[in-house]
Every structure is written in structure tokens, then in C-alpha cells.
Amino acid sequence: LRAYSSPTFTMMLMQLNKAATTSGCRVFSTVAVTQTTASSKRLEDLRKQLAKDAETDTGTLHEFALEEAPKRKKAPPRSAKILPKPKWLKAQPAVSEAYKELRTTVRELGLATVCEEAKCPNIGECWSGDQDNDGSGATATIMIMGDTCTRGCSFCAVKTSRAPPPLDPNEPEKVASAITKWGLDYVVLTSVDRDDIDDQGSGHFRKVVQKLKEKDPNILVEALTPDFQGQLDFVEAVATSGLDVYAHNIETVERLQKRVRDRRAGYDQSLKVLEHVKQLSDIHCLTKTSIMLGLGETDEDIRATLRDLRSIDLDVVTFGQYLQPSKRHLPVKEYVTPEKYEEWQKEAEEMGFKYVASGPLVRSSYKAGEFFLKNLLREQQAERETAGS
């Protein structure tokens, strides 16, 4: 109808109506000609609307034809409720020479580290090691099987794809060479999920661990593994590779699993993975998991999770603050205070875990070598005291 609201058309219609009324002829409008079945009421309403437009519209038909259609304005973006980080949540800057040397080696060998891919805040501290002792004790977490994951957890910054690039058959040698060059005494291996591979990448993971132990039998190896879709034969392939710590993260409490993790992961599935490793009689590695706090969990949620972990005889548990990698990821619900982390450490230790690391910036592999070695020393000391009493 808007096309008929120009001044030229309105003037023509009014003249036609006047002439038709004078001669007693039946009045027709353009609308009536093209739509002969329209009711007289609609015609009368149209005439009134056109007459009203003629009083207010001073433009021409040419102007109307050239008029640009109105542009729809985009709705303003939703304001993301991002909690400001507290002052005590600060990490050590990555500026040391040991850090720079480690980063250079990673680049030269084309390796990926979860420290970088997951934007870990502790990269400066872990890669620097003990600055008072020539950087010894540095801990690196190498991410094998590529830098692209087949899953999309809503807390994780690692790239995702349904069809990542194929595995690098030379990776076991590359990783072993890098560790030898660095002179690390403790290394953490982790990986993306590879649901696109028949064995979920468990065979490749096993080869990397074996190559490391072949080059340096004294090196301590921690493997932070996927859940391998709960297929226990794949879990066993990695667990029996010669590693010292089998880690698999449960990530969060049972109630928040579906919101936080990929739909192919699950609370019960993760528990079964860790339980199966403990049941293998021919290995003596520790089992370990990590829980993120600040996602909306309650104290009772955490206690229930700890009870479930103790029921499968888990050895090591860590607590750390969830940090939102980007606006696309889950928001932080709460910044848990350092005092609260101390409370959780004490409570978990009283439940019987062999070692507990708890703090805002603690991650599953945060200064893992230092934590693991200190725990071993404590156990050995306790055994000596028991034997001497």
C-alpha cells in the first residue's frame, strides 16, 4: 500500500473521484481494479488513508522510488556479567631465562604445550623452576596428539574440530629429545581427545611414554589422559606404559558435569577410568585428579565428590580456581578465597588422600614435580619413622 501513498498518485485518484461523482459514474480505484473482490469498506479505508497521507507527504514519486529502505538496528549486545579478579589472584610474570629457553625449544621442535594452548596463568612459574638453583625443578606439560581436540568443553580454550590433522608418527622421538635437551626430571604429558581415531590415541600415548623412559629411565612421567570414551583396554594401554602418575581430571562436581564438560564425558565414566587403573595389579603408579572451583558448586557438592574419589582409592587430588578463557566460555560464578582453599586441603588430607594441592592458581600439573617429589619424601620419612619405632 505504501506505493500508493505518493503525492502524484493521490492527486490523480482525487481528480478521478471528483469527475466520477459529477457524471454519476461508478468510482473505481487502482486497488479495486487489481483486486475486484475487495470489499467496499476496505476501499473506503484506503481512500481515507491516501487522503491523510497527501496532507503530510510533500515528496515526489521519483523521491519515493529512490528512497532507501530503513535499516534494522542490531540489538545491543548482552552485557556479560564478568566478575572482577581479586587482587590476590596474580601469577608470576613469564620473563626468566629458563622460561625463554624452554619456549625456544618448544618452537624449534614444533611441540605443543597445554601451558600455552590452555592459557595457563602459571606458565612463568612452572617453566622457570627454582631461580635460586639455575632453574632446576622446572615442570613442562607437553600436549601430544596435536593441538586440536575433538570435544568442546565449555571451560577449555583448546581449539576444537571434528576432524583434526593426523597424528605425527615422529612425535614420540621429538618429545623424548626435547625432554633430554631440557634436562627435566619430571614431565607431564597430556593430550587432546581424539575420538576420531580407532583407539582414541591410546597407542600413540603409550609410545611417547615408553620412548621417554627408554632415553631416561630415571625421569618421572605423569600422564594426564582423556577418558578414552570409557574403554578400559585403552586406559590400560597407557597405564601399563611405564608412567609414574596416571592423572585424569573429573573437572567439576557431579551436578555441574553436563554444563561444564562435553556431552561425551561424564562423572561416572571418569570415576571408572581412575578406578580401573588402581585395580591393575602389575603397576604401582599413583592416581590423580583435579577439581575446578568457582563454577557454582556448593560445599556439599565438593564433599560428595571427595567421598566418591576416596571410594576408588584415589591418591592425589588438586583444587584450583576456574578462570574464564574468553567471553565465549562459562563465566566465573565465584572467586574462592585462599583461606577456603586451605580449608579444602585440610579436609581432603583428613579424608586420607596421599597428597592434596589446593590454591587459586593450582592446576592439575601446576609445579607437579615439586609436589610429587615432596610427597615421596614425606612418605619415605614416615616409613623410616615407623620402622624405627
Side-chain angles (χ1 to χ4, degrees), residues 186-230:
Y186 192 106
V187 65
V188 182
L189 298 175
T190 189
S191 78
V192 292
D193 284 89
R194 293 301 300 256
D195 301 285
D196 58 316
I197 301 174
D198 290 339
D199 70 349
Q200 315 295 307
S202 58
H204 188 87
F205 211 131
R206 179 183 175 88
K207 290 178 182 177
V208 174
V209 176
Q210 290 177 331
K211 180 61 69 172
L212 272 170
K213 288 291 187 175
E214 176 186 319
K215 285 184 175 290
D216 185 358
N218 296 320
I219 191 171
L220 297 173
V221 180
E222 175 181 327
L224 176 56
T225 73
D227 59 19
F228 300 116
Q229 295 185 359

mmCIF file of all heavy atoms in Angstrom, residues 186-230:
data_model
loop_
_atom_site.group_PDB
_atom_site.id
_atom_site.type_symbol
_atom_site.label_atom_id
_atom_site.label_comp_id
_atom_site.label_asym_id
_atom_site.label_seq_id
_atom_site.Cartn_x
_atom_site.Cartn_y
_atom_site.Cartn_z
ATOM 1 N N TYR A 186 61.111 -34.215 35.796
ATOM 2 C CA TYR A 186 59.681 -34.539 35.907
ATOM 3 C C TYR A 186 58.963 -33.899 34.731
ATOM 4 O O TYR A 186 59.144 -32.718 34.454
ATOM 5 C CB TYR A 186 59.112 -33.988 37.218
ATOM 6 C CG TYR A 186 57.725 -34.504 37.576
ATOM 7 C CD1 TYR A 186 57.557 -35.437 38.591
ATOM 8 C CD2 TYR A 186 56.592 -34.063 36.910
ATOM 9 C CE1 TYR A 186 56.306 -35.914 38.929
ATOM 10 C CE2 TYR A 186 55.337 -34.536 37.235
ATOM 11 C CZ TYR A 186 55.186 -35.459 38.248
ATOM 12 O OH TYR A 186 53.950 -35.940 38.575
ATOM 13 N N VAL A 187 58.158 -34.672 34.045
ATOM 14 C CA VAL A 187 57.425 -34.135 32.904
ATOM 15 C C VAL A 187 55.979 -34.617 32.953
ATOM 16 O O VAL A 187 55.701 -35.741 33.395
ATOM 17 C CB VAL A 187 58.079 -34.554 31.566
ATOM 18 C CG1 VAL A 187 58.002 -36.064 31.373
ATOM 19 C CG2 VAL A 187 57.432 -33.831 30.384
ATOM 20 N N VAL A 188 55.104 -33.747 32.541
ATOM 21 C CA VAL A 188 53.685 -34.094 32.454
ATOM 22 C C VAL A 188 53.302 -34.163 30.989
ATOM 23 O O VAL A 188 53.535 -33.219 30.223
ATOM 24 C CB VAL A 188 52.805 -33.049 33.174
ATOM 25 C CG1 VAL A 188 51.334 -33.468 33.101
ATOM 26 C CG2 VAL A 188 53.234 -32.891 34.621
ATOM 27 N N LEU A 189 52.736 -35.277 30.600
ATOM 28 C CA LEU A 189 52.208 -35.440 29.250
ATOM 29 C C LEU A 189 50.688 -35.371 29.307
ATOM 30 O O LEU A 189 50.068 -36.027 30.143
ATOM 31 C CB LEU A 189 52.612 -36.796 28.668
ATOM 32 C CG LEU A 189 54.098 -37.073 28.487
ATOM 33 C CD1 LEU A 189 54.295 -38.512 28.013
ATOM 34 C CD2 LEU A 189 54.723 -36.093 27.505
ATOM 35 N N THR A 190 50.113 -34.574 28.467
ATOM 36 C CA THR A 190 48.659 -34.566 28.355
ATOM 37 C C THR A 190 48.311 -34.604 26.882
ATOM 38 O O THR A 190 49.191 -34.571 26.014
ATOM 39 C CB THR A 190 48.050 -33.328 29.031
ATOM 40 O OG1 THR A 190 46.613 -33.479 29.089
ATOM 41 C CG2 THR A 190 48.376 -32.056 28.273
ATOM 42 N N SER A 191 47.052 -34.696 26.567
ATOM 43 C CA SER A 191 46.669 -34.765 25.156
ATOM 44 C C SER A 191 45.263 -34.241 24.970
ATOM 45 O O SER A 191 44.468 -34.160 25.914
ATOM 46 C CB SER A 191 46.740 -36.213 24.644
ATOM 47 O OG SER A 191 45.610 -36.949 25.077
ATOM 48 N N VAL A 192 44.996 -33.878 23.745
ATOM 49 C CA VAL A 192 43.623 -33.578 23.347
ATOM 50 C C VAL A 192 42.858 -34.894 23.248
ATOM 51 O O VAL A 192 43.456 -35.976 23.205
ATOM 52 C CB VAL A 192 43.606 -32.857 21.988
ATOM 53 C CG1 VAL A 192 44.203 -31.466 22.105
ATOM 54 C CG2 VAL A 192 44.366 -33.672 20.934
ATOM 55 N N ASP A 193 41.546 -34.819 23.220
ATOM 56 C CA ASP A 193 40.741 -36.012 22.931
ATOM 57 C C ASP A 193 40.799 -36.285 21.431
ATOM 58 O O ASP A 193 40.724 -35.348 20.621
ATOM 59 C CB ASP A 193 39.290 -35.788 23.360
ATOM 60 C CG ASP A 193 39.101 -35.873 24.858
ATOM 61 O OD1 ASP A 193 39.230 -34.840 25.533
ATOM 62 O OD2 ASP A 193 38.829 -36.978 25.341
ATOM 63 N N ARG A 194 40.942 -37.534 21.062
ATOM 64 C CA ARG A 194 40.961 -37.917 19.657
ATOM 65 C C ARG A 194 39.916 -38.999 19.400
ATOM 66 O O ARG A 194 40.215 -40.157 19.155
ATOM 67 C CB ARG A 194 42.362 -38.385 19.250
ATOM 68 C CG ARG A 194 43.411 -37.291 19.265
ATOM 69 C CD ARG A 194 43.057 -36.122 18.327
ATOM 70 N NE ARG A 194 42.932 -36.533 16.956
ATOM 71 C CZ ARG A 194 43.849 -36.313 16.017
ATOM 72 N NH1 ARG A 194 44.967 -35.697 16.328
ATOM 73 N NH2 ARG A 194 43.649 -36.698 14.788
ATOM 74 N N ASP A 195 38.660 -38.583 19.485
ATOM 75 C CA ASP A 195 37.555 -39.515 19.231
ATOM 76 C C ASP A 195 37.502 -39.966 17.779
ATOM 77 O O ASP A 195 36.754 -40.889 17.445
ATOM 78 C CB ASP A 195 36.223 -38.848 19.603
ATOM 79 C CG ASP A 195 36.165 -38.428 21.062
ATOM 80 O OD1 ASP A 195 35.999 -39.299 21.915
ATOM 81 O OD2 ASP A 195 36.287 -37.218 21.340
ATOM 82 N N ASP A 196 38.282 -39.313 16.917
ATOM 83 C CA ASP A 196 38.276 -39.650 15.501
ATOM 84 C C ASP A 196 39.188 -40.832 15.178
ATOM 85 O O ASP A 196 39.199 -41.321 14.049
ATOM 86 C CB ASP A 196 38.732 -38.440 14.681
ATOM 87 C CG ASP A 196 40.137 -37.955 15.083
ATOM 88 O OD1 ASP A 196 40.392 -37.873 16.297
ATOM 89 O OD2 ASP A 196 40.950 -37.673 14.185
ATOM 90 N N ILE A 197 39.954 -41.314 16.168
ATOM 91 C CA ILE A 197 40.895 -42.414 15.954
ATOM 92 C C ILE A 197 40.350 -43.676 16.609
ATOM 93 O O ILE A 197 39.721 -43.618 17.670
ATOM 94 C CB ILE A 197 42.279 -42.056 16.541
ATOM 95 C CG1 ILE A 197 42.804 -40.780 15.874
ATOM 96 C CG2 ILE A 197 43.260 -43.198 16.356
ATOM 97 C CD1 ILE A 197 44.090 -40.266 16.474
ATOM 98 N N ASP A 198 40.592 -44.810 15.978
ATOM 99 C CA ASP A 198 40.018 -46.075 16.458
ATOM 100 C C ASP A 198 40.329 -46.360 17.920
ATOM 101 O O ASP A 198 39.455 -46.763 18.688
ATOM 102 C CB ASP A 198 40.504 -47.244 15.585
ATOM 103 C CG ASP A 198 39.906 -47.199 14.181
ATOM 104 O OD1 ASP A 198 38.856 -46.533 14.016
ATOM 105 O OD2 ASP A 198 40.469 -47.817 13.263
ATOM 106 N N ASP A 199 41.591 -46.176 18.337
ATOM 107 C CA ASP A 199 41.951 -46.465 19.730
ATOM 108 C C ASP A 199 42.010 -45.205 20.580
ATOM 109 O O ASP A 199 42.591 -45.201 21.659
ATOM 110 C CB ASP A 199 43.281 -47.218 19.803
ATOM 111 C CG ASP A 199 44.473 -46.348 19.411
ATOM 112 O OD1 ASP A 199 44.256 -45.233 18.888
ATOM 113 O OD2 ASP A 199 45.622 -46.783 19.644
ATOM 114 N N GLN A 200 41.388 -44.127 20.095
ATOM 115 C CA GLN A 200 41.325 -42.842 20.801
ATOM 116 C C GLN A 200 42.716 -42.240 21.045
ATOM 117 O O GLN A 200 42.873 -41.331 21.856
ATOM 118 C CB GLN A 200 40.615 -42.997 22.162
ATOM 119 C CG GLN A 200 39.353 -43.822 22.131
ATOM 120 C CD GLN A 200 38.252 -43.188 21.292
ATOM 121 O OE1 GLN A 200 37.920 -42.041 21.513
ATOM 122 N NE2 GLN A 200 37.692 -43.921 20.355
ATOM 123 N N GLY A 201 43.728 -42.763 20.359
ATOM 124 C CA GLY A 201 45.086 -42.261 20.526
ATOM 125 C C GLY A 201 45.850 -42.903 21.670
ATOM 126 O O GLY A 201 46.971 -42.495 21.984
ATOM 127 N N SER A 202 45.288 -43.947 22.286
ATOM 128 C CA SER A 202 45.947 -44.575 23.438
ATOM 129 C C SER A 202 47.271 -45.233 23.054
ATOM 130 O O SER A 202 48.240 -45.194 23.825
ATOM 131 C CB SER A 202 45.017 -45.610 24.067
ATOM 132 O OG SER A 202 44.641 -46.607 23.119
ATOM 133 N N GLY A 203 47.351 -45.837 21.871
ATOM 134 C CA GLY A 203 48.590 -46.463 21.421
ATOM 135 C C GLY A 203 49.696 -45.445 21.225
ATOM 136 O O GLY A 203 50.868 -45.682 21.568
ATOM 137 N N HIS A 204 49.353 -44.285 20.684
ATOM 138 C CA HIS A 204 50.321 -43.210 20.472
ATOM 139 C C HIS A 204 50.810 -42.678 21.817
ATOM 140 O O HIS A 204 52.017 -42.439 22.010
ATOM 141 C CB HIS A 204 49.663 -42.093 19.669
ATOM 142 C CG HIS A 204 50.598 -41.022 19.227
ATOM 143 N ND1 HIS A 204 51.331 -41.082 18.063
ATOM 144 C CD2 HIS A 204 50.938 -39.837 19.813
ATOM 145 C CE1 HIS A 204 52.071 -39.993 17.931
ATOM 146 N NE2 HIS A 204 51.843 -39.219 18.988
ATOM 147 N N PHE A 205 49.894 -42.498 22.743
ATOM 148 C CA PHE A 205 50.238 -42.029 24.089
ATOM 149 C C PHE A 205 51.234 -42.999 24.741
ATOM 150 O O PHE A 205 52.234 -42.601 25.342
ATOM 151 C CB PHE A 205 48.972 -41.926 24.939
ATOM 152 C CG PHE A 205 49.011 -40.845 25.985
ATOM 153 C CD1 PHE A 205 47.961 -39.951 26.119
ATOM 154 C CD2 PHE A 205 50.087 -40.727 26.848
ATOM 155 C CE1 PHE A 205 47.990 -38.950 27.081
ATOM 156 C CE2 PHE A 205 50.133 -39.734 27.811
ATOM 157 C CZ PHE A 205 49.076 -38.840 27.934
ATOM 158 N N ARG A 206 50.968 -44.283 24.601
ATOM 159 C CA ARG A 206 51.834 -45.309 25.178
ATOM 160 C C ARG A 206 53.254 -45.223 24.601
ATOM 161 O O ARG A 206 54.248 -45.320 25.337
ATOM 162 C CB ARG A 206 51.233 -46.688 24.905
ATOM 163 C CG ARG A 206 52.060 -47.857 25.445
ATOM 164 C CD ARG A 206 51.425 -49.181 25.068
ATOM 165 N NE ARG A 206 52.248 -50.310 25.473
ATOM 166 C CZ ARG A 206 52.200 -50.898 26.655
ATOM 167 N NH1 ARG A 206 51.331 -50.468 27.573
ATOM 168 N NH2 ARG A 206 52.990 -51.916 26.956
ATOM 169 N N LYS A 207 53.364 -45.010 23.288
ATOM 170 C CA LYS A 207 54.663 -44.935 22.638
ATOM 171 C C LYS A 207 55.487 -43.745 23.152
ATOM 172 O O LYS A 207 56.702 -43.850 23.316
ATOM 173 C CB LYS A 207 54.495 -44.825 21.125
ATOM 174 C CG LYS A 207 53.988 -46.094 20.462
ATOM 175 C CD LYS A 207 53.801 -45.870 18.970
ATOM 176 C CE LYS A 207 53.254 -47.124 18.288
ATOM 177 N NZ LYS A 207 53.006 -46.891 16.836
ATOM 178 N N VAL A 208 54.820 -42.623 23.398
ATOM 179 C CA VAL A 208 55.535 -41.445 23.885
ATOM 180 C C VAL A 208 56.141 -41.719 25.265
ATOM 181 O O VAL A 208 57.311 -41.405 25.522
ATOM 182 C CB VAL A 208 54.590 -40.224 23.944
ATOM 183 C CG1 VAL A 208 55.307 -39.031 24.583
ATOM 184 C CG2 VAL A 208 54.104 -39.847 22.551
ATOM 185 N N VAL A 209 55.347 -42.321 26.157
ATOM 186 C CA VAL A 209 55.845 -42.625 27.496
ATOM 187 C C VAL A 209 57.013 -43.609 27.420
ATOM 188 O O VAL A 209 58.056 -43.423 28.080
ATOM 189 C CB VAL A 209 54.726 -43.206 28.382
ATOM 190 C CG1 VAL A 209 55.278 -43.607 29.756
ATOM 191 C CG2 VAL A 209 53.595 -42.200 28.546
ATOM 192 N N GLN A 210 56.871 -44.645 26.616
ATOM 193 C CA GLN A 210 57.931 -45.654 26.511
ATOM 194 C C GLN A 210 59.217 -45.062 25.950
ATOM 195 O O GLN A 210 60.318 -45.417 26.389
ATOM 196 C CB GLN A 210 57.444 -46.814 25.638
ATOM 197 C CG GLN A 210 56.369 -47.660 26.305
ATOM 198 C CD GLN A 210 55.858 -48.764 25.405
ATOM 199 O OE1 GLN A 210 55.848 -48.646 24.168
ATOM 200 N NE2 GLN A 210 55.429 -49.870 26.007
ATOM 201 N N LYS A 211 59.096 -44.160 24.983
ATOM 202 C CA LYS A 211 60.289 -43.528 24.411
ATOM 203 C C LYS A 211 60.995 -42.649 25.446
ATOM 204 O O LYS A 211 62.228 -42.619 25.518
ATOM 205 C CB LYS A 211 59.904 -42.702 23.185
ATOM 206 C CG LYS A 211 61.069 -42.002 22.499
ATOM 207 C CD LYS A 211 62.107 -42.983 21.983
ATOM 208 C CE LYS A 211 61.602 -43.806 20.816
ATOM 209 N NZ LYS A 211 62.673 -44.630 20.203
ATOM 210 N N LEU A 212 60.234 -41.960 26.272
ATOM 211 C CA LEU A 212 60.814 -41.136 27.325
ATOM 212 C C LEU A 212 61.586 -41.994 28.325
ATOM 213 O O LEU A 212 62.719 -41.680 28.709
ATOM 214 C CB LEU A 212 59.707 -40.372 28.054
ATOM 215 C CG LEU A 212 59.306 -39.024 27.469
ATOM 216 C CD1 LEU A 212 58.038 -38.522 28.145
ATOM 217 C CD2 LEU A 212 60.423 -38.021 27.624
ATOM 218 N N LYS A 213 60.968 -43.080 28.750
ATOM 219 C CA LYS A 213 61.608 -43.966 29.722
ATOM 220 C C LYS A 213 62.826 -44.666 29.121
ATOM 221 O O LYS A 213 63.791 -44.981 29.823
ATOM 222 C CB LYS A 213 60.597 -44.995 30.222
ATOM 223 C CG LYS A 213 59.551 -44.426 31.146
ATOM 224 C CD LYS A 213 60.164 -44.024 32.485
ATOM 225 C CE LYS A 213 59.127 -43.598 33.497
ATOM 226 N NZ LYS A 213 59.717 -43.316 34.829
ATOM 227 N N GLU A 214 62.787 -44.895 27.828
ATOM 228 C CA GLU A 214 63.919 -45.516 27.145
ATOM 229 C C GLU A 214 65.130 -44.600 27.165
ATOM 230 O O GLU A 214 66.262 -45.034 27.385
ATOM 231 C CB GLU A 214 63.516 -45.846 25.709
ATOM 232 C CG GLU A 214 64.617 -46.420 24.851
ATOM 233 C CD GLU A 214 64.184 -46.597 23.402
ATOM 234 O OE1 GLU A 214 63.040 -47.038 23.171
ATOM 235 O OE2 GLU A 214 64.994 -46.270 22.505
ATOM 236 N N LYS A 215 64.906 -43.298 26.946
ATOM 237 C CA LYS A 215 66.003 -42.337 26.915
ATOM 238 C C LYS A 215 66.483 -41.968 28.318
ATOM 239 O O LYS A 215 67.659 -41.671 28.519
ATOM 240 C CB LYS A 215 65.567 -41.079 26.157
ATOM 241 C CG LYS A 215 65.500 -41.260 24.642
ATOM 242 C CD LYS A 215 65.154 -39.957 23.957
ATOM 243 C CE LYS A 215 65.214 -40.126 22.432
ATOM 244 N NZ LYS A 215 66.598 -40.301 21.943
ATOM 245 N N ASP A 216 65.578 -41.962 29.273
ATOM 246 C CA ASP A 216 65.948 -41.599 30.642
ATOM 247 C C ASP A 216 65.083 -42.394 31.621
ATOM 248 O O ASP A 216 63.985 -41.963 31.987
ATOM 249 C CB ASP A 216 65.749 -40.102 30.861
ATOM 250 C CG ASP A 216 66.243 -39.648 32.235
ATOM 251 O OD1 ASP A 216 66.700 -40.505 33.017
ATOM 252 O OD2 ASP A 216 66.153 -38.438 32.515
ATOM 253 N N PRO A 217 65.577 -43.548 32.079
ATOM 254 C CA PRO A 217 64.792 -44.397 32.988
ATOM 255 C C PRO A 217 64.471 -43.724 34.320
ATOM 256 O O PRO A 217 63.515 -44.134 35.005
ATOM 257 C CB PRO A 217 65.702 -45.614 33.200
ATOM 258 C CG PRO A 217 66.626 -45.607 32.021
ATOM 259 C CD PRO A 217 66.846 -44.175 31.699
ATOM 260 N N ASN A 218 65.223 -42.694 34.687
ATOM 261 C CA ASN A 218 65.015 -42.049 35.983
ATOM 262 C C ASN A 218 64.009 -40.901 35.944
ATOM 263 O O ASN A 218 63.614 -40.388 36.999
ATOM 264 C CB ASN A 218 66.346 -41.516 36.518
ATOM 265 C CG ASN A 218 67.339 -42.634 36.802
ATOM 266 O OD1 ASN A 218 66.967 -43.684 37.312
ATOM 267 N ND2 ASN A 218 68.597 -42.404 36.444
ATOM 268 N N ILE A 219 63.610 -40.501 34.770
ATOM 269 C CA ILE A 219 62.671 -39.384 34.676
ATOM 270 C C ILE A 219 61.301 -39.815 35.202
ATOM 271 O O ILE A 219 60.861 -40.953 35.006
ATOM 272 C CB ILE A 219 62.553 -38.882 33.222
ATOM 273 C CG1 ILE A 219 61.793 -37.558 33.194
ATOM 274 C CG2 ILE A 219 61.870 -39.912 32.330
ATOM 275 C CD1 ILE A 219 61.818 -36.882 31.837
ATOM 276 N N LEU A 220 60.645 -38.905 35.904
ATOM 277 C CA LEU A 220 59.307 -39.166 36.410
ATOM 278 C C LEU A 220 58.297 -38.656 35.382
ATOM 279 O O LEU A 220 58.378 -37.507 34.934
ATOM 280 C CB LEU A 220 59.094 -38.455 37.743
ATOM 281 C CG LEU A 220 59.997 -38.918 38.892
ATOM 282 C CD1 LEU A 220 59.804 -38.026 40.103
ATOM 283 C CD2 LEU A 220 59.744 -40.371 39.241
ATOM 284 N N VAL A 221 57.354 -39.514 35.006
ATOM 285 C CA VAL A 221 56.391 -39.177 33.960
ATOM 286 C C VAL A 221 54.976 -39.235 34.518
ATOM 287 O O VAL A 221 54.556 -40.243 35.075
ATOM 288 C CB VAL A 221 56.508 -40.138 32.762
ATOM 289 C CG1 VAL A 221 55.476 -39.766 31.687
ATOM 290 C CG2 VAL A 221 57.916 -40.110 32.193
ATOM 291 N N GLU A 222 54.295 -38.136 34.364
ATOM 292 C CA GLU A 222 52.868 -38.072 34.711
ATOM 293 C C GLU A 222 52.074 -37.962 33.412
ATOM 294 O O GLU A 222 52.403 -37.155 32.540
ATOM 295 C CB GLU A 222 52.586 -36.865 35.602
ATOM 296 C CG GLU A 222 51.109 -36.668 35.911
ATOM 297 C CD GLU A 222 50.845 -35.444 36.768
ATOM 298 O OE1 GLU A 222 51.712 -35.130 37.617
ATOM 299 O OE2 GLU A 222 49.787 -34.808 36.607
ATOM 300 N N ALA A 223 51.031 -38.768 33.289
ATOM 301 C CA ALA A 223 50.187 -38.724 32.100
ATOM 302 C C ALA A 223 48.804 -38.228 32.488
ATOM 303 O O ALA A 223 48.094 -38.875 33.262
ATOM 304 C CB ALA A 223 50.088 -40.110 31.467
ATOM 305 N N LEU A 224 48.445 -37.066 31.979
ATOM 306 C CA LEU A 224 47.108 -36.517 32.187
ATOM 307 C C LEU A 224 46.276 -36.898 30.959
ATOM 308 O O LEU A 224 46.411 -36.298 29.901
ATOM 309 C CB LEU A 224 47.171 -35.003 32.364
ATOM 310 C CG LEU A 224 45.839 -34.255 32.488
ATOM 311 C CD1 LEU A 224 45.005 -34.806 33.640
ATOM 312 C CD2 LEU A 224 46.085 -32.761 32.660
ATOM 313 N N THR A 225 45.437 -37.903 31.098
ATOM 314 C CA THR A 225 44.826 -38.559 29.945
ATOM 315 C C THR A 225 43.376 -38.162 29.712
ATOM 316 O O THR A 225 42.688 -37.711 30.634
ATOM 317 C CB THR A 225 44.872 -40.082 30.124
ATOM 318 O OG1 THR A 225 43.897 -40.460 31.120
ATOM 319 C CG2 THR A 225 46.247 -40.557 30.553
ATOM 320 N N PRO A 226 42.892 -38.387 28.487
ATOM 321 C CA PRO A 226 41.452 -38.300 28.224
ATOM 322 C C PRO A 226 40.741 -39.494 28.871
ATOM 323 O O PRO A 226 41.392 -40.353 29.481
ATOM 324 C CB PRO A 226 41.365 -38.372 26.696
ATOM 325 C CG PRO A 226 42.755 -38.201 26.194
ATOM 326 C CD PRO A 226 43.663 -38.681 27.272
ATOM 327 N N ASP A 227 39.434 -39.579 28.692
ATOM 328 C CA ASP A 227 38.713 -40.726 29.262
ATOM 329 C C ASP A 227 38.634 -41.901 28.290
ATOM 330 O O ASP A 227 38.147 -42.968 28.643
ATOM 331 C CB ASP A 227 37.309 -40.329 29.703
ATOM 332 C CG ASP A 227 36.456 -39.759 28.560
ATOM 333 O OD1 ASP A 227 36.795 -39.982 27.378
ATOM 334 O OD2 ASP A 227 35.450 -39.082 28.845
ATOM 335 N N PHE A 228 39.136 -41.704 27.048
ATOM 336 C CA PHE A 228 39.123 -42.758 26.027
ATOM 337 C C PHE A 228 37.726 -43.378 25.884
ATOM 338 O O PHE A 228 37.572 -44.576 25.648
ATOM 339 C CB PHE A 228 40.149 -43.844 26.347
ATOM 340 C CG PHE A 228 41.563 -43.345 26.408
ATOM 341 C CD1 PHE A 228 42.292 -43.400 27.594
ATOM 342 C CD2 PHE A 228 42.171 -42.784 25.299
ATOM 343 C CE1 PHE A 228 43.598 -42.923 27.663
ATOM 344 C CE2 PHE A 228 43.472 -42.307 25.346
ATOM 345 C CZ PHE A 228 44.188 -42.369 26.540
ATOM 346 N N GLN A 229 36.699 -42.517 26.057
ATOM 347 C CA GLN A 229 35.296 -42.939 25.951
ATOM 348 C C GLN A 229 34.957 -44.082 26.916
ATOM 349 O O GLN A 229 34.028 -44.844 26.702
ATOM 350 C CB GLN A 229 34.948 -43.344 24.520
ATOM 351 C CG GLN A 229 35.010 -42.190 23.532
ATOM 352 C CD GLN A 229 34.561 -42.561 22.146
ATOM 353 O OE1 GLN A 229 34.206 -43.712 21.864
ATOM 354 N NE2 GLN A 229 34.557 -41.599 21.252
ATOM 355 N N GLY A 230 35.742 -44.185 27.970
ATOM 356 C CA GLY A 230 35.469 -45.213 28.961
ATOM 357 C C GLY A 230 35.878 -46.613 28.558
ATOM 358 O O GLY A 230 35.545 -47.583 29.261
#
